[in-house]
Amino acid sequence: MSRVALSRVRRVVVKVGSALITVPGQGPAGPVIARLAADMAALVKDRREMALVSSGAIATGMARLGLSTRPRSIPDKQAAAAVGQSTLMWHYEQGFGKHGIQVGQVLLTGQDISDRGRYLNARNTLLALLRFGVLPVVNENDTVAVDEIKVGDNDNLAAHVAHLIDADLLVLLTDVDGLYTGDPRRDPAARRLETVDAITDDILQLVFDDASRVSVGGMSTKLQAAQKATASGIPMVIARGSEPSVLQRIVSGENLGTYFEPRADPLTARKLWIAFAVPPQGRLRVDAGARKALTERGKSLLPSGLTDVEGEFRAGAVVSLAEGGQEFARGLVNYDAQEIRRIRGAKTREIEKALGYKGFDEVIHRDNLVVL
């Protein structure tokens, strides 16, 4: 899909960050939210379905609680989120209400993504809201989420939401106008990339993030979101949110921000879930030969190619695969961690001798393997 084809998209997920919609020490920026609502409303009136993923609850709560720096402890962050979320939703109700659009709050955690049943429940809720003509406003449920169940940032959450509702486009609105070849604040020769056709190692190295008092992500999480979205066949755009009518202009095909081309051969729903929805429970290190067999020849992972096993996990768990310190794939294992340690480096015919039984020839079958 090219930029020109964006005029045909019917379902769009938009993500806005804290730095865009809040003012430090004051909370939500009313005029910015009003402008965003007007921009999205114009697309709704053009018979498009819209969903919004919005940060800003903690930043809003900080302002209401008189906090000058972002809380560090989980209980303090949760308290700030609890105070800020209702205020943030009030601003969205006011902004979209002027255009006759109802909004509905949806709060998710990482468990809602990684657990298949809860994933489907979230999907059904979001699709029902769209069917009723309600614009979902999604955020991570920071009032209850702890590190073990967090998505962690709303860029990646937005990509998950795009998967959940089968979106045609994901737009990340931020305070920069796209991905650059260098740090534009320090390198006058840095140029904006208009189009990225694949998330390569070279692209992943184009990350120049500064720590922020209110935002969590940065360009690194936006590139992670691009990996998730484009792998499922969903194009993505990173653009400056302060541009007038930025969403309407993007959908019209205007050359704004950085456009990420979707994969021509999108992953199936099952492989998307393996690759991105479930946090890996461990890591398998393989040699260069095994990596080549997996990535270039579409083979299954056999025990002979294993060099190390990290973590404790059961058969059926999702694990990451790495070679030379770099993760390159994820998959569902046929054996638990202790069993894999016992057959590591063995030939297939030696599995039964090492374990006393043999359930599978493969540690990970190619049907349960996703090359990232």
Side-chain angles (χ1 to χ4, degrees):
M1 178 185 288
S2 66
R3 278 186 186 266
V4 176
L6 293 182
S7 61
R8 299 197 299 267
V9 302
R10 308 315 305 170
R11 184 174 288 169
V12 184
V13 174
V14 179
K15 182 265 178 178
V16 292
S18 295
L20 183 64
I21 61 161
T22 64
V23 178
Q26 299 179 31
V32 175
I33 290 177
R35 186 170 66 246
L36 172 67
D39 201 8
M40 295 183 71
L43 294 180
V44 171
K45 290 176 182 176
D46 197 27
R47 306 186 72 173
R48 292 182 171 88
E49 294 178 322
M50 307 292 294
L52 177 63
V53 177
S54 175
S55 303
I58 292 178
T60 299
M62 286 169 54
R64 297 200 67 184
L65 295 173
L67 303 177
S68 59
T69 58
R70 187 179 178 86
R72 293 189 176 183
S73 74
I74 289 177
D76 287 355
K77 289 178 184 177
Q78 292 172 331
V83 171
Q85 188 65 39
S86 58
T87 299
L88 187 62
M89 282 303 300
W90 182 87
H91 280 270
Y92 281 128
E93 288 177 354
Q94 296 297 305
F96 285 100
K98 293 177 181 178
H99 304 278
I101 297 174
Q102 292 190 69
V103 296
Q105 177 177 264
V106 179
L107 300 176
L108 300 173
T109 67
Q111 280 188 332
D112 298 317
I113 305 299
S114 62
D115 181 271
R116 191 64 179 165
R118 292 168 68 166
Y119 180 93
L120 293 174
N121 287 337
R123 171 183 167 85
N124 291 337
T125 298
L126 289 165
L127 292 178
L129 288 170
L130 294 174
R131 190 171 64 251
F132 283 120
V134 176
L135 191 148
V137 179
V138 185
N139 197 356
E140 181 141 24
N141 194 352
D142 289 316
T143 60
V144 299
V146 293
D147 287 343
E148 291 78 10
I149 63 170
K150 286 178 72 68
V151 175
D153 65 88
N154 276 354
D155 294 323
N156 279 287
L157 179 61
H160 286 304
V161 171
H163 292 162
L164 280 165
I165 67 172
D166 301 321
D168 302 312
L169 174 64
L170 171 61
V171 180
L172 305 185
L173 296 181
T174 183
D175 53 0
V176 297
D177 61 346
L179 178 65
Y180 277 75
T181 57
D183 187 345
R185 294 160 297 190
R186 301 180 178 89
D187 180 5
R191 61 180 180 83
R192 173 175 63 90
L193 295 177
E194 296 182 1
T195 301
V196 173
D197 55 15
I199 312 296
T200 62
D201 290 342
D202 290 340
I203 292 297
L204 292 173
Q205 291 172 9
L206 299 179
V207 175
F208 308 94
D209 292 336
D210 276 345
S212 169
R213 292 182 302 161
V214 295
S215 63
V216 173
M219 194 55 69
S220 60
T221 57
K222 289 171 177 56
L223 292 181
Q224 292 167 15
Q227 287 180 305
K228 291 178 173 65
T230 57
S232 63
I234 302 172
M236 192 187 93
V237 176
I238 299 173
R240 192 189 302 275
S242 58
E243 287 283 342
S245 304
V246 61
L247 296 173
Q248 297 173 70
R249 293 162 64 190
I250 287 171
V251 170
S252 72
E254 186 172 337
N255 183 16
L256 290 177
T258 298
Y259 174 75
F260 293 82
E261 289 266 8
R263 276 177 52 156
D265 56 338
L267 297 177
T268 64
R270 172 181 169 77
K271 290 203 169 185
L272 280 171
W273 186 80
I274 293 172
F276 301 122
V278 184
Q281 303 301 299
R283 172 171 288 198
L284 304 182
R285 296 192 179 275
V286 305
D287 58 32
R291 176 173 180 168
K292 186 174 182 179
L294 297 173
T295 59
E296 297 181 16
R297 301 202 301 273
K299 298 295 185 178
S300 299
L301 176 63
L302 303 178
S304 58
L306 285 168
T307 60
D308 197 11
V309 181
E310 299 177 6
E312 299 299 331
F313 48 84
R314 296 182 177 180
V318 173
V319 300
S320 66
L321 277 68
E323 185 264 329
Q326 181 185 42
E327 181 187 34
F328 68 90
R330 292 183 181 179
L332 298 175
V333 288
N334 288 327
Y335 294 96
D336 66 30
Q338 291 302 321
E339 290 171 323
I340 296 174
R341 288 188 178 97
R342 290 164 62 187
I343 63 176
R344 180 187 64 183
K347 301 294 185 183
T348 300
R349 63 178 180 271
E350 299 170 334
I351 293 177
E352 185 169 2
K353 181 179 179 180
L355 297 179
Y357 53 87
K358 183 175 76 169
F360 303 88
D361 288 339
E362 312 88 358
V363 175
I364 300 177
H365 191 277
R366 63 184 181 182
D367 291 343
N368 294 324
L369 180 76
V370 184
V371 175
L372 302 178

